Each structure stands twice: as C-alpha cells, then as structure tokens.
Amino acid sequence: MNHLPFDTTAIAPMNADETGAAIANVIAQVRRNLTDFTHASQNHSSVNNIYPAVANDQWTAGFWPGSIWLAFEATGDADFRDAAQIQVQSLLHRIENRIATDHHDMGFMYSPSCVAAWKLLGDGDGRKAGLLAADQLVERFHEKGAFIQAWGAKGAPENYRFIIDCLLNLPLLYWASDETGNDQYRDLARRHMATSLRYSVRPDFSTYHTFYMDPETGDPVRGSTQQGFSDDSSWARGQAWAIAGTAFLYRLDPTPALLEVFDNLLAYYLARLPADLVPYWDLIFTSGDEPRDSSSAAVVACGLLEMAGLTTPKRATTLRGLAARMLASLSRSYAVTDPQASNGFLLHATYSKKTPFNGCRGEGVDECVAWGDYFYFEGLTRLSRTWTPYW
Ligand code: GLY
C-alpha cells in the first residue's frame, strides 16, 4: 500500500484488554436481547436507539443471527447456539417460501446466519437455506449487461441496475460453488464483480451507489444514487461496501486487479475522514454537523482486517493498525454503554438520510443499524484472534 494519506496518532489503537472488554460488553448486550429477538427479527435500524422487533421480511435479517453466532463462538454458550438456530429456521422458511426476497441481498441475509450455522455446526438446514439463497441470486443475473439486478421485479426497466453493496452478496456464490461443485455460481459472481468495478468505481476511486444499464443493449447508461447525498457524491457506506467487498473477494479470488482497486478505494475513503476516523454519512462532507455513519467505519475495519490476513507482514501491520484505531474510536465514543438507553451495540449510524437529490424516505438517521452492530462485533472478533469468516 503506497498511499495512505495520513498517519493519524490522534486515536491510540485498541490493545488486547480494551478489545476484550468491548467484546464482553457486546456479548452482554446480545444476551439481554435474546428475550426479544429469539423468535422475532430486529428492525433494520433503531428508533430512538431501541430496535423494535419485526417479522422476518427485511434485507437485514441475517445480521442479528450473525451477532448471536459471534457470541456463541466467543463463549460456547448453548443459549446462543439455540437462539441462532431458531433464526436459521426462520430464514430457511423465508427462502423456501420466497417471502420478501425480490432483491439481491441474499449474501447479507444468508452468509452471517445460515452459512455460518453450516460452517460452525454442520447445520444441514443452514446449508440448504444458503444454497436456495444462492439460487435466488443466480436468477437475478442479466446476461445483457452481465450483472445481478439489485431491486424489484427482474427486468423492470426502471430497476435495470446494480448497486455497489452487492459485492458483499457475492461470497455466497463462491461458497455455493465450493459446496456443490457447480462453477456457475462463481462464474456469475466474477462477471457481476467485473461489471460493478468497471462502472461503479469512478476515475478518482470514489463510487456510484447505483448504476443503470440499458436493458436492450446491455450498455452502461449512468450512475446514480439512492442513499447518498447526490448522484455525483460518494455515499460513505457505498465506499465501505466497496472496500470490504474487494477485500473479502480478494480472499476468494486473489487477482492483482482487486488488490489495486482496494488500495485506491481505501485511499479515497481515508482522505475524507474526520479526525476520529468515523465518516460523515456521505464523503462529500468532511467537517460540520451532518450525521456520521459509524456502520461504515465498522465495515471498513473488517475489510482492513481481512486484507491484513492476505498480504505481506509489513502491509498487514499498517492495515491492522488502522483498523485498531477505527475500532478504538468506535468503542470509546460510539459504543452503547447504557443498556437502558439502547439495545444496540453502536450508536450514530445512518441508514438513509433524505436529500433533495436522492431516493430516501429518511429512516434510521443517527441511530443504531443492524449491520453496524454486526460488523462492529465481527471487527472486534477479527482484531482479537484469527477468525474464519462466515463470508
Ligand atoms: N445495503 C443497504 C445499505 O447499506 O443501507
């Protein structure tokens, strides 16, 4: 990595004791939440820092079970295992009956929950659910344009687009190929990845959130935003998904091009961070009082720690050091300390902030979000020990 733009010493990295204490806090919060969320899902984001319980019909339904699995791995406690397996059954039912699955978020939903159950316990229902989800993802692939359609009915002209977030859905397809011996899953993942990186990543290595293709010709049409500030800004979480996505995919597909784009995406992101290493919700903002997105910092930390395990010792030290500072900032200034005030792990995330230029309704602004909590816990886990990813 040639071009880290700064060497911040403002935030001291977490040491082992601090990491252990942060993990213990999160595990205690998972334990408290079992009462409300063993037989229900968590909403995608909190309301006044409290997650409501909801039916299993959101794209985020895999993150809470993922957090329970991380707690199970850390403790071996059968209460966690049993609760996570109830969530796995719910997700199996959902994919078998195609309940609210008209979108591409199968990896987000099934990797940290059902694939994790298979990897950790050899849970056959977890494997079955993961493979059904991978099949659903394959169905959303368009030959014209070579991409997986993000949202809505397949082929609808107004939805003929992909989004940068989908990089995190692709590990499910690599896993499905490994499990079944059928190369089609991996081949489609590679083709989507190539399309996404070719068109979503701008020349300055910022990213478009979404990108439209021409349904007649398969040619690129235009980048646009859904959740970012505007079409030509770089939504912080989109950039975070791109950084973590390229790192996770580099483990599965170690091509030099992925490494190069990871470095450049990261450089763009780092150059726009405020001093506490937690971005504003869109990278167009580098100071002021716009809301932060703590979840982006957690996602990026996981990407850095993933790449640290795949690179030279010198580079790994740099990446781990950065991740340890980001997680330190989250733990010291963003983590929930009072369980009466919040049933989440990480405060000050932004799900979708409405602007005159985007497609948001405005939800989950300055709240906890399900993936922020999950990736914070995953990041702490990765920092504390060698961890086998669910992805
Ligand atoms: N994948 C949707 C989001 O990050 O909000």
Side-chain angles (χ1 to χ4, degrees):
M1 149 155 289
N2 304 323
H3 38 226
L4 282 180
F6 60 89
D7 170 26
T8 177
T9 49
I11 311 271
M14 289 184 102
N15 62 31
D17 285 349
E18 197 180 2
T19 307
I23 289 173
N25 282 343
V26 168
I27 291 171
Q29 197 75 321
V30 175
R31 195 181 294 285
R32 284 184 207 102
N33 280 345
L34 291 182
T35 312
D36 290 336
F37 303 113
T38 292
H39 296 282
S41 289
Q42 273 186 341
N43 197 42
H44 46 65
S45 50
S46 63
V47 178
N48 296 324
N49 293 328
I50 303 289
Y51 287 104
V54 293
N56 182 354
D57 60 6
Q58 298 182 354
W59 71 273
T60 50
F63 295 118
W64 161 243
S67 293
I68 310 177
W69 283 128
L70 291 171
F72 171 68
E73 279 201 77
T75 61
D77 187 327
D79 287 347
F80 292 134
R81 180 199 62 207
D82 296 348
Q85 285 190 299
I86 290 168
Q87 293 281 321
V88 167
Q89 289 302 318
S90 174
L91 282 156
L92 173 61
H93 174 79
R94 180 166 169 185
I95 191 66
E96 281 181 331
N97 294 283
R98 298 281 176 117
I99 298 167
T101 54
D102 211 5
H103 59 78
H104 68 154
D105 281 325
M106 297 300 115
F108 282 123
M109 285 163 54
Y110 285 89
S111 295
S113 56
C114 296
V115 173
W118 167 245
K119 288 185 176 179
L120 293 174
L121 300 180
D123 181 327
D125 283 346
R127 180 178 186 276
K128 184 175 168 190
L131 291 176
L132 288 171
D135 288 339
Q136 190 273 7
L137 207 44
V138 165
E139 287 171 25
R140 296 185 70 80
F141 187 85
H142 285 292
E143 283 297 332
K144 274 198 182 148
F147 69 96
I148 296 167
Q149 183 182 318
W151 299 312
K154 190 179 174 197
E158 72 279 11
N159 270 321
Y160 208 79
R161 61 175 162 172
F162 54 87
I163 71 172
I164 192 74
D165 322 29
C166 192
L167 294 179
L168 273 289
N169 290 319
L170 303 183
L172 181 73
L173 297 178
Y174 282 82
W175 169 81
S177 273
D178 288 346
E179 279 301 313
T180 61
N182 177 352
D183 288 337
Q184 190 203 13
Y185 301 102
R186 188 187 294 105
D187 291 346
L188 296 188
R190 283 190 173 131
R191 292 176 67 199
H192 177 93
M193 174 167 58
T195 305
S196 179
L197 294 178
R198 179 167 180 198
Y199 297 119
S200 310
V201 182
R202 302 185 185 108
D204 65 355
F205 297 99
S206 64
T207 46
Y208 288 115
H209 180 198
T210 90
F211 202 97
Y212 286 97
M213 305 298 273
D214 186 317
E216 302 302 325
T217 63
D219 290 338
V221 178
R222 71 184 169 91
S224 84
T225 202
Q226 181 70 12
Q227 286 162 264
F229 179 80
S230 63
D231 287 349
D232 54 5
S233 72
S234 198
W235 179 45
R237 200 160 53 259
Q239 196 79 12
W241 291 137
I243 292 165
T246 49
F248 291 12
L249 289 166
Y250 184 67
R251 167 170 44 84
L252 299 165
D253 224 337
T255 54
L258 266 178
L259 201 55
E260 193 181 323
V261 76
F262 168 87
D263 275 358
N264 288 318
L265 292 163
L266 179 61
Y268 184 93
Y269 174 85
L270 293 174
R272 278 151 187 82
L273 288 184
D276 77 351
L277 308 180
V278 175
Y280 291 90
W281 70 279
D282 191 293
L283 299 178
I284 201 169
F285 306 112
T286 54
S287 62
D289 56 8
E290 284 287 326
R292 302 298 184 97
D293 181 31
S294 59
S295 75
S296 290
V299 169
V300 168
C302 289
L304 296 177
L305 291 167
E306 176 80 62
M307 193 56 94
L310 306 170
T311 189
T312 60
K314 184 160 177 271
R315 205 159 162 257
T317 302
T318 306
L319 296 174
R320 279 186 70 80
L322 255 176
R325 291 178 197 279
M326 290 176 185
L327 288 166
S329 182
L330 292 175
S331 165
R332 290 174 202 151
S333 306
Y334 292 78
V336 170
T337 52
D338 175 5
Q340 301 303 318
S342 176
N343 56 3
F345 313 157
L346 205 56
L347 303 166
H348 308 306
T350 296
Y351 179 26
S352 66
K353 185 166 191 293
K354 183 174 167 52
T355 76
F357 318 110
N358 71 16
C360 290
R361 288 197 305 260
E363 278 180 292
V365 176
D366 196 16
E367 293 284 350
C368 308
V369 295
W371 59 92
D373 285 359
Y374 169 77
F375 282 107
Y376 175 56
F377 195 2
E378 181 184 307
L380 292 171
T381 303
R382 286 178 183 266
L383 196 61
S384 70
R385 65 184 177 86
T386 303
W387 178 72
T388 303
Y390 303 154
W391 306 92

